[in-house]
mmCIF file of all heavy atoms in Angstrom:
data_model
loop_
_atom_site.group_PDB
_atom_site.id
_atom_site.type_symbol
_atom_site.label_atom_id
_atom_site.label_comp_id
_atom_site.label_asym_id
_atom_site.label_seq_id
_atom_site.Cartn_x
_atom_site.Cartn_y
_atom_site.Cartn_z
ATOM 1 N N SER A 822 107.861 111.684 102.844
ATOM 2 C CA SER A 822 109.267 111.981 103.118
ATOM 3 C C SER A 822 110.232 111.096 102.335
ATOM 4 O O SER A 822 111.450 111.202 102.487
ATOM 5 C CB SER A 822 109.550 111.835 104.623
ATOM 6 O OG SER A 822 109.350 110.496 105.047
ATOM 7 N N CYS A 823 109.678 110.243 101.479
ATOM 8 C CA CYS A 823 110.495 109.318 100.690
ATOM 9 C C CYS A 823 111.459 110.089 99.779
ATOM 10 O O CYS A 823 111.058 111.026 99.090
ATOM 11 C CB CYS A 823 109.572 108.421 99.860
ATOM 12 S SG CYS A 823 110.431 107.387 98.665
ATOM 13 N N ARG A 824 112.714 109.685 99.779
ATOM 14 C CA ARG A 824 113.722 110.299 98.914
ATOM 15 C C ARG A 824 113.812 109.470 97.628
ATOM 16 O O ARG A 824 114.567 108.496 97.561
ATOM 17 C CB ARG A 824 115.066 110.374 99.627
ATOM 18 C CG ARG A 824 115.057 111.304 100.843
ATOM 19 C CD ARG A 824 116.384 111.243 101.595
ATOM 20 N NE ARG A 824 117.512 111.591 100.744
ATOM 21 C CZ ARG A 824 117.967 112.821 100.543
ATOM 22 N NH1 ARG A 824 117.365 113.849 101.159
ATOM 23 N NH2 ARG A 824 119.000 113.048 99.780
ATOM 24 N N ILE A 825 113.033 109.862 96.642
ATOM 25 C CA ILE A 825 112.936 109.107 95.403
ATOM 26 C C ILE A 825 114.286 108.940 94.722
ATOM 27 O O ILE A 825 114.586 107.889 94.140
ATOM 28 C CB ILE A 825 111.938 109.781 94.435
ATOM 29 C CG1 ILE A 825 110.512 109.723 95.012
ATOM 30 C CG2 ILE A 825 111.971 109.126 93.067
ATOM 31 C CD1 ILE A 825 109.949 108.327 95.120
ATOM 32 N N ASP A 826 115.126 109.971 94.814
ATOM 33 C CA ASP A 826 116.421 109.911 94.134
ATOM 34 C C ASP A 826 117.353 108.877 94.745
ATOM 35 O O ASP A 826 118.362 108.510 94.121
ATOM 36 C CB ASP A 826 117.083 111.287 94.155
ATOM 37 C CG ASP A 826 116.356 112.304 93.284
ATOM 38 O OD1 ASP A 826 115.587 111.864 92.405
ATOM 39 O OD2 ASP A 826 116.541 113.511 93.488
ATOM 40 N N ASP A 827 117.036 108.413 95.946
ATOM 41 C CA ASP A 827 117.860 107.389 96.589
ATOM 42 C C ASP A 827 117.427 105.968 96.215
ATOM 43 O O ASP A 827 118.037 104.996 96.662
ATOM 44 C CB ASP A 827 117.798 107.540 98.115
ATOM 45 C CG ASP A 827 118.464 108.824 98.596
ATOM 46 O OD1 ASP A 827 119.256 109.401 97.814
ATOM 47 O OD2 ASP A 827 118.186 109.256 99.731
ATOM 48 N N ILE A 828 116.385 105.865 95.419
ATOM 49 C CA ILE A 828 115.843 104.564 95.048
ATOM 50 C C ILE A 828 116.254 104.205 93.624
ATOM 51 O O ILE A 828 116.256 105.057 92.730
ATOM 52 C CB ILE A 828 114.301 104.560 95.152
ATOM 53 C CG1 ILE A 828 113.881 104.799 96.611
ATOM 54 C CG2 ILE A 828 113.705 103.251 94.635
ATOM 55 C CD1 ILE A 828 112.385 104.934 96.789
ATOM 56 N N THR A 829 116.609 102.959 93.414
ATOM 57 C CA THR A 829 116.962 102.463 92.085
ATOM 58 C C THR A 829 115.769 101.710 91.499
ATOM 59 O O THR A 829 115.222 100.815 92.148
ATOM 60 C CB THR A 829 118.176 101.520 92.154
ATOM 61 O OG1 THR A 829 119.295 102.235 92.688
ATOM 62 C CG2 THR A 829 118.537 100.998 90.768
ATOM 63 N N PHE A 830 115.386 102.082 90.286
ATOM 64 C CA PHE A 830 114.246 101.451 89.624
ATOM 65 C C PHE A 830 114.710 100.674 88.394
ATOM 66 O O PHE A 830 115.590 101.122 87.653
ATOM 67 C CB PHE A 830 113.222 102.500 89.180
ATOM 68 C CG PHE A 830 112.544 103.226 90.310
ATOM 69 C CD1 PHE A 830 113.031 104.449 90.764
ATOM 70 C CD2 PHE A 830 111.406 102.687 90.911
ATOM 71 C CE1 PHE A 830 112.396 105.123 91.798
ATOM 72 C CE2 PHE A 830 110.764 103.359 91.943
ATOM 73 C CZ PHE A 830 111.260 104.580 92.395
ATOM 74 N N PHE A 831 114.095 99.521 88.189
ATOM 75 C CA PHE A 831 114.299 98.739 86.980
ATOM 76 C C PHE A 831 112.942 98.648 86.270
ATOM 77 O O PHE A 831 111.937 98.373 86.908
ATOM 78 C CB PHE A 831 114.797 97.326 87.304
ATOM 79 C CG PHE A 831 116.030 97.307 88.163
ATOM 80 C CD1 PHE A 831 115.932 97.122 89.537
ATOM 81 C CD2 PHE A 831 117.281 97.483 87.606
ATOM 82 C CE1 PHE A 831 117.059 97.113 90.338
ATOM 83 C CE2 PHE A 831 118.420 97.472 88.407
ATOM 84 C CZ PHE A 831 118.317 97.298 89.768
ATOM 85 N N ILE A 832 112.917 98.881 84.970
ATOM 86 C CA ILE A 832 111.662 98.920 84.226
ATOM 87 C C ILE A 832 111.377 97.544 83.603
ATOM 88 O O ILE A 832 112.211 96.982 82.894
ATOM 89 C CB ILE A 832 111.690 99.983 83.118
ATOM 90 C CG1 ILE A 832 112.100 101.344 83.702
ATOM 91 C CG2 ILE A 832 110.327 100.073 82.436
ATOM 92 C CD1 ILE A 832 111.184 101.851 84.795
ATOM 93 N N LEU A 833 110.183 97.028 83.882
ATOM 94 C CA LEU A 833 109.742 95.756 83.321
ATOM 95 C C LEU A 833 108.413 95.979 82.609
ATOM 96 O O LEU A 833 107.381 96.194 83.234
ATOM 97 C CB LEU A 833 109.554 94.716 84.441
ATOM 98 C CG LEU A 833 108.914 93.382 84.034
ATOM 99 C CD1 LEU A 833 109.770 92.669 83.007
ATOM 100 C CD2 LEU A 833 108.693 92.502 85.248
ATOM 101 N N ASN A 834 108.443 95.958 81.270
ATOM 102 C CA ASN A 834 107.213 96.119 80.490
ATOM 103 C C ASN A 834 107.333 95.305 79.209
ATOM 104 O O ASN A 834 108.223 94.451 79.077
ATOM 105 C CB ASN A 834 106.929 97.596 80.202
ATOM 106 C CG ASN A 834 108.084 98.290 79.503
ATOM 107 O OD1 ASN A 834 108.827 97.676 78.723
ATOM 108 N ND2 ASN A 834 108.263 99.571 79.774
ATOM 109 N N GLU A 835 106.450 95.566 78.247
ATOM 110 C CA GLU A 835 106.445 94.761 77.026
ATOM 111 C C GLU A 835 107.695 94.951 76.186
ATOM 112 O O GLU A 835 107.977 94.158 75.278
ATOM 113 C CB GLU A 835 105.202 95.095 76.181
ATOM 114 C CG GLU A 835 105.164 96.488 75.582
ATOM 115 C CD GLU A 835 104.570 97.520 76.527
ATOM 116 O OE1 GLU A 835 104.451 97.240 77.743
ATOM 117 O OE2 GLU A 835 104.215 98.617 76.055
ATOM 118 N N HIS A 836 108.478 95.999 76.472
ATOM 119 C CA HIS A 836 109.694 96.259 75.710
ATOM 120 C C HIS A 836 110.941 95.655 76.360
ATOM 121 O O HIS A 836 112.021 95.666 75.765
ATOM 122 C CB HIS A 836 109.899 97.768 75.546
ATOM 123 C CG HIS A 836 108.747 98.472 74.892
ATOM 124 N ND1 HIS A 836 108.336 98.193 73.611
ATOM 125 C CD2 HIS A 836 107.902 99.431 75.360
ATOM 126 C CE1 HIS A 836 107.300 98.954 73.305
ATOM 127 N NE2 HIS A 836 107.009 99.710 74.343
ATOM 128 N N THR A 837 110.797 95.125 77.552
ATOM 129 C CA THR A 837 111.942 94.568 78.270
ATOM 130 C C THR A 837 112.403 93.270 77.614
ATOM 131 O O THR A 837 111.585 92.399 77.301
ATOM 132 C CB THR A 837 111.579 94.284 79.740
ATOM 133 O OG1 THR A 837 111.076 95.488 80.329
ATOM 134 C CG2 THR A 837 112.807 93.834 80.514
ATOM 135 N N ARG A 838 113.695 93.159 77.404
ATOM 136 C CA ARG A 838 114.246 91.950 76.797
ATOM 137 C C ARG A 838 114.382 90.849 77.849
ATOM 138 O O ARG A 838 114.661 91.103 79.012
ATOM 139 C CB ARG A 838 115.609 92.260 76.183
ATOM 140 C CG ARG A 838 115.575 93.303 75.070
ATOM 141 C CD ARG A 838 116.972 93.733 74.678
ATOM 142 N NE ARG A 838 117.677 94.340 75.814
ATOM 143 C CZ ARG A 838 118.926 94.781 75.773
ATOM 144 N NH1 ARG A 838 119.622 94.671 74.650
ATOM 145 N NH2 ARG A 838 119.485 95.319 76.836
ATOM 146 N N GLU A 839 114.190 89.620 77.411
ATOM 147 C CA GLU A 839 114.220 88.495 78.345
ATOM 148 C C GLU A 839 115.551 88.392 79.085
ATOM 149 O O GLU A 839 115.602 88.043 80.260
ATOM 150 C CB GLU A 839 113.938 87.197 77.587
ATOM 151 C CG GLU A 839 113.746 85.993 78.494
ATOM 152 C CD GLU A 839 113.254 84.775 77.758
ATOM 153 O OE1 GLU A 839 112.809 84.909 76.601
ATOM 154 O OE2 GLU A 839 113.322 83.673 78.339
ATOM 155 N N LYS A 840 116.636 88.731 78.393
ATOM 156 C CA LYS A 840 117.946 88.626 79.031
ATOM 157 C C LYS A 840 118.118 89.640 80.164
ATOM 158 O O LYS A 840 118.980 89.477 81.035
ATOM 159 C CB LYS A 840 119.071 88.799 78.003
ATOM 160 C CG LYS A 840 119.141 90.181 77.366
ATOM 161 C CD LYS A 840 120.288 90.236 76.365
ATOM 162 C CE LYS A 840 120.439 91.623 75.750
ATOM 163 N NZ LYS A 840 121.559 91.681 74.783
ATOM 164 N N ASP A 841 117.274 90.693 80.163
ATOM 165 C CA ASP A 841 117.362 91.696 81.220
ATOM 166 C C ASP A 841 116.766 91.214 82.535
ATOM 167 O O ASP A 841 117.066 91.763 83.593
ATOM 168 C CB ASP A 841 116.651 92.992 80.793
ATOM 169 C CG ASP A 841 117.389 93.710 79.673
ATOM 170 O OD1 ASP A 841 118.617 93.589 79.610
ATOM 171 O OD2 ASP A 841 116.722 94.380 78.863
ATOM 172 N N PHE A 842 115.865 90.219 82.467
ATOM 173 C CA PHE A 842 115.221 89.741 83.687
ATOM 174 C C PHE A 842 116.249 89.260 84.710
ATOM 175 O O PHE A 842 116.122 89.509 85.906
ATOM 176 C CB PHE A 842 114.242 88.597 83.375
ATOM 177 C CG PHE A 842 113.096 89.001 82.493
ATOM 178 C CD1 PHE A 842 112.487 88.088 81.661
ATOM 179 C CD2 PHE A 842 112.628 90.309 82.485
ATOM 180 C CE1 PHE A 842 111.430 88.449 80.847
ATOM 181 C CE2 PHE A 842 111.575 90.689 81.672
ATOM 182 C CZ PHE A 842 110.971 89.758 80.854
ATOM 183 N N GLU A 843 117.265 88.569 84.227
ATOM 184 C CA GLU A 843 118.314 88.077 85.129
ATOM 185 C C GLU A 843 119.035 89.245 85.793
ATOM 186 O O GLU A 843 119.364 89.187 86.985
ATOM 187 C CB GLU A 843 119.319 87.217 84.352
ATOM 188 C CG GLU A 843 118.764 85.932 83.767
ATOM 189 C CD GLU A 843 118.766 84.796 84.764
ATOM 190 O OE1 GLU A 843 119.224 85.013 85.902
ATOM 191 O OE2 GLU A 843 118.298 83.703 84.390
ATOM 192 N N ASN A 844 119.245 90.319 85.032
ATOM 193 C CA ASN A 844 119.967 91.473 85.571
ATOM 194 C C ASN A 844 119.201 92.138 86.716
ATOM 195 O O ASN A 844 119.804 92.691 87.638
ATOM 196 C CB ASN A 844 120.229 92.502 84.471
ATOM 197 C CG ASN A 844 121.150 91.969 83.390
ATOM 198 O OD1 ASN A 844 121.963 91.077 83.640
ATOM 199 N ND2 ASN A 844 121.022 92.496 82.180
ATOM 200 N N PHE A 845 117.856 92.091 86.669
ATOM 201 C CA PHE A 845 117.054 92.713 87.715
ATOM 202 C C PHE A 845 117.364 92.131 89.090
ATOM 203 O O PHE A 845 117.242 92.806 90.111
ATOM 204 C CB PHE A 845 115.559 92.525 87.435
ATOM 205 C CG PHE A 845 115.063 93.261 86.221
ATOM 206 C CD1 PHE A 845 113.909 92.847 85.577
ATOM 207 C CD2 PHE A 845 115.733 94.355 85.716
ATOM 208 C CE1 PHE A 845 113.436 93.520 84.460
ATOM 209 C CE2 PHE A 845 115.274 95.038 84.606
ATOM 210 C CZ PHE A 845 114.121 94.614 83.979
ATOM 211 N N LEU A 846 117.739 90.859 89.112
ATOM 212 C CA LEU A 846 117.923 90.167 90.390
ATOM 213 C C LEU A 846 119.374 90.131 90.854
ATOM 214 O O LEU A 846 119.673 89.522 91.873
ATOM 215 C CB LEU A 846 117.377 88.738 90.288
ATOM 216 C CG LEU A 846 115.852 88.645 90.089
ATOM 217 C CD1 LEU A 846 115.434 87.197 89.891
ATOM 218 C CD2 LEU A 846 115.115 89.244 91.279
ATOM 219 N N GLN A 847 120.257 90.776 90.127
ATOM 220 C CA GLN A 847 121.668 90.760 90.528
ATOM 221 C C GLN A 847 121.872 91.367 91.917
ATOM 222 O O GLN A 847 122.692 90.906 92.701
ATOM 223 C CB GLN A 847 122.517 91.507 89.490
ATOM 224 C CG GLN A 847 122.671 90.767 88.180
ATOM 225 C CD GLN A 847 123.236 89.370 88.349
ATOM 226 O OE1 GLN A 847 124.262 89.168 89.019
ATOM 227 N NE2 GLN A 847 122.559 88.399 87.758
ATOM 228 N N TYR A 848 121.089 92.412 92.217
ATOM 229 C CA TYR A 848 121.229 93.039 93.530
ATOM 230 C C TYR A 848 120.766 92.092 94.634
ATOM 231 O O TYR A 848 121.315 92.086 95.737
ATOM 232 C CB TYR A 848 120.436 94.340 93.585
ATOM 233 C CG TYR A 848 121.100 95.473 92.835
ATOM 234 C CD1 TYR A 848 120.833 95.697 91.493
ATOM 235 C CD2 TYR A 848 122.027 96.307 93.462
ATOM 236 C CE1 TYR A 848 121.448 96.732 90.797
ATOM 237 C CE2 TYR A 848 122.645 97.340 92.777
ATOM 238 C CZ TYR A 848 122.355 97.545 91.443
ATOM 239 O OH TYR A 848 122.978 98.559 90.743
ATOM 240 N N ALA A 849 119.752 91.302 94.363
ATOM 241 C CA ALA A 849 119.289 90.326 95.350
ATOM 242 C C ALA A 849 120.340 89.247 95.569
ATOM 243 O O ALA A 849 120.577 88.801 96.705
ATOM 244 C CB ALA A 849 117.977 89.688 94.898
ATOM 245 N N LEU A 850 120.975 88.829 94.499
ATOM 246 C CA LEU A 850 122.036 87.822 94.625
ATOM 247 C C LEU A 850 123.214 88.370 95.427
ATOM 248 O O LEU A 850 123.993 87.602 96.002
ATOM 249 C CB LEU A 850 122.498 87.372 93.239
ATOM 250 C CG LEU A 850 121.442 86.663 92.381
ATOM 251 C CD1 LEU A 850 121.991 86.353 90.988
ATOM 252 C CD2 LEU A 850 120.969 85.383 93.058
ATOM 253 N N SER A 851 123.327 89.692 95.475
ATOM 254 C CA SER A 851 124.411 90.341 96.235
ATOM 255 C C SER A 851 123.993 90.675 97.662
ATOM 256 O O SER A 851 124.756 91.304 98.398
ATOM 257 C CB SER A 851 124.857 91.620 95.521
ATOM 258 O OG SER A 851 125.292 91.342 94.206
ATOM 259 N N GLY A 852 122.761 90.287 98.048
ATOM 260 C CA GLY A 852 122.335 90.482 99.432
ATOM 261 C C GLY A 852 121.340 91.598 99.670
ATOM 262 O O GLY A 852 120.988 91.892 100.822
ATOM 263 N N ASN A 853 120.856 92.233 98.602
ATOM 264 C CA ASN A 853 119.888 93.325 98.749
ATOM 265 C C ASN A 853 118.456 92.846 98.522
ATOM 266 O O ASN A 853 118.194 92.036 97.629
ATOM 267 C CB ASN A 853 120.197 94.438 97.743
ATOM 268 C CG ASN A 853 121.566 95.038 97.940
ATOM 269 O OD1 ASN A 853 121.789 95.830 98.848
ATOM 270 N ND2 ASN A 853 122.504 94.644 97.085
ATOM 271 N N ASN A 854 117.523 93.372 99.303
ATOM 272 C CA ASN A 854 116.116 93.083 99.084
ATOM 273 C C ASN A 854 115.580 93.933 97.937
ATOM 274 O O ASN A 854 115.957 95.100 97.789
ATOM 275 C CB ASN A 854 115.296 93.369 100.347
ATOM 276 C CG ASN A 854 115.657 92.432 101.480
ATOM 277 O OD1 ASN A 854 115.957 91.253 101.254
ATOM 278 N ND2 ASN A 854 115.638 92.938 102.705
ATOM 279 N N ILE A 855 114.680 93.363 97.132
ATOM 280 C CA ILE A 855 114.106 94.050 95.980
ATOM 281 C C ILE A 855 112.587 93.916 96.029
ATOM 282 O O ILE A 855 112.056 92.874 96.413
ATOM 283 C CB ILE A 855 114.632 93.459 94.655
ATOM 284 C CG1 ILE A 855 116.154 93.593 94.570
ATOM 285 C CG2 ILE A 855 113.989 94.149 93.453
ATOM 286 C CD1 ILE A 855 116.745 93.009 93.301
ATOM 287 N N GLY A 856 111.897 94.971 95.628
ATOM 288 C CA GLY A 856 110.448 94.926 95.556
ATOM 289 C C GLY A 856 109.971 94.865 94.114
ATOM 290 O O GLY A 856 110.434 95.631 93.270
ATOM 291 N N LEU A 857 109.071 93.934 93.826
ATOM 292 C CA LEU A 857 108.404 93.874 92.522
ATOM 293 C C LEU A 857 107.063 94.570 92.697
ATOM 294 O O LEU A 857 106.152 94.050 93.341
ATOM 295 C CB LEU A 857 108.224 92.424 92.078
ATOM 296 C CG LEU A 857 107.463 92.181 90.770
ATOM 297 C CD1 LEU A 857 108.125 92.904 89.610
ATOM 298 C CD2 LEU A 857 107.363 90.698 90.488
ATOM 299 N N LEU A 858 106.958 95.773 92.164
ATOM 300 C CA LEU A 858 105.814 96.643 92.412
ATOM 301 C C LEU A 858 104.848 96.589 91.227
ATOM 302 O O LEU A 858 105.198 96.964 90.112
ATOM 303 C CB LEU A 858 106.301 98.078 92.633
ATOM 304 C CG LEU A 858 105.290 99.118 93.108
ATOM 305 C CD1 LEU A 858 104.841 98.820 94.533
ATOM 306 C CD2 LEU A 858 105.903 100.515 93.044
ATOM 307 N N SER A 859 103.632 96.109 91.472
ATOM 308 C CA SER A 859 102.637 96.019 90.411
ATOM 309 C C SER A 859 102.172 97.400 89.987
ATOM 310 O O SER A 859 102.221 98.362 90.756
ATOM 311 C CB SER A 859 101.444 95.193 90.890
ATOM 312 O OG SER A 859 100.415 95.195 89.934
ATOM 313 N N GLU A 860 101.699 97.516 88.744
ATOM 314 C CA GLU A 860 101.104 98.759 88.269
ATOM 315 C C GLU A 860 99.747 98.978 88.918
ATOM 316 O O GLU A 860 99.369 100.081 89.270
ATOM 317 C CB GLU A 860 100.966 98.714 86.740
ATOM 318 C CG GLU A 860 100.421 99.966 86.113
ATOM 319 C CD GLU A 860 101.404 101.134 86.115
ATOM 320 O OE1 GLU A 860 102.564 100.950 86.542
ATOM 321 O OE2 GLU A 860 101.005 102.228 85.697
ATOM 322 N N ALA A 861 98.995 97.880 89.080
ATOM 323 C CA ALA A 861 97.701 97.909 89.766
ATOM 324 C C ALA A 861 97.326 96.471 90.097
ATOM 325 O O ALA A 861 97.349 95.615 89.223
ATOM 326 C CB ALA A 861 96.619 98.546 88.908
#
């Protein structure tokens, strides 16, 4: 029943720039919980 369209995803892979890592956590700094989901 998960509403995928209501979820915000950030992509972290070999193409991700280092400066983007800080941006991933901006929502946490604003009070939101974030999940770091492993591929496996």
Side-chain angles (χ1 to χ4, degrees):
S822 63
C823 172
R824 295 175 58 88
I825 294 294
D826 291 341
D827 293 342
I828 297 175
T829 300
F830 294 95
F831 306 98
I832 307 301
L833 172 61
N834 56 32
E835 67 273 15
H836 303 298
T837 305
R838 298 170 299 178
E839 188 171 346
K840 65 180 183 180
D841 291 330
F842 297 152
E843 295 275 359
N844 296 334
F845 293 158
L846 294 176
Q847 288 305 310
Y848 285 90
L850 296 176
S851 302
N853 299 283
N854 294 324
I855 300 179
L857 176 58
L858 189 68
S859 174
E860 183 72 4

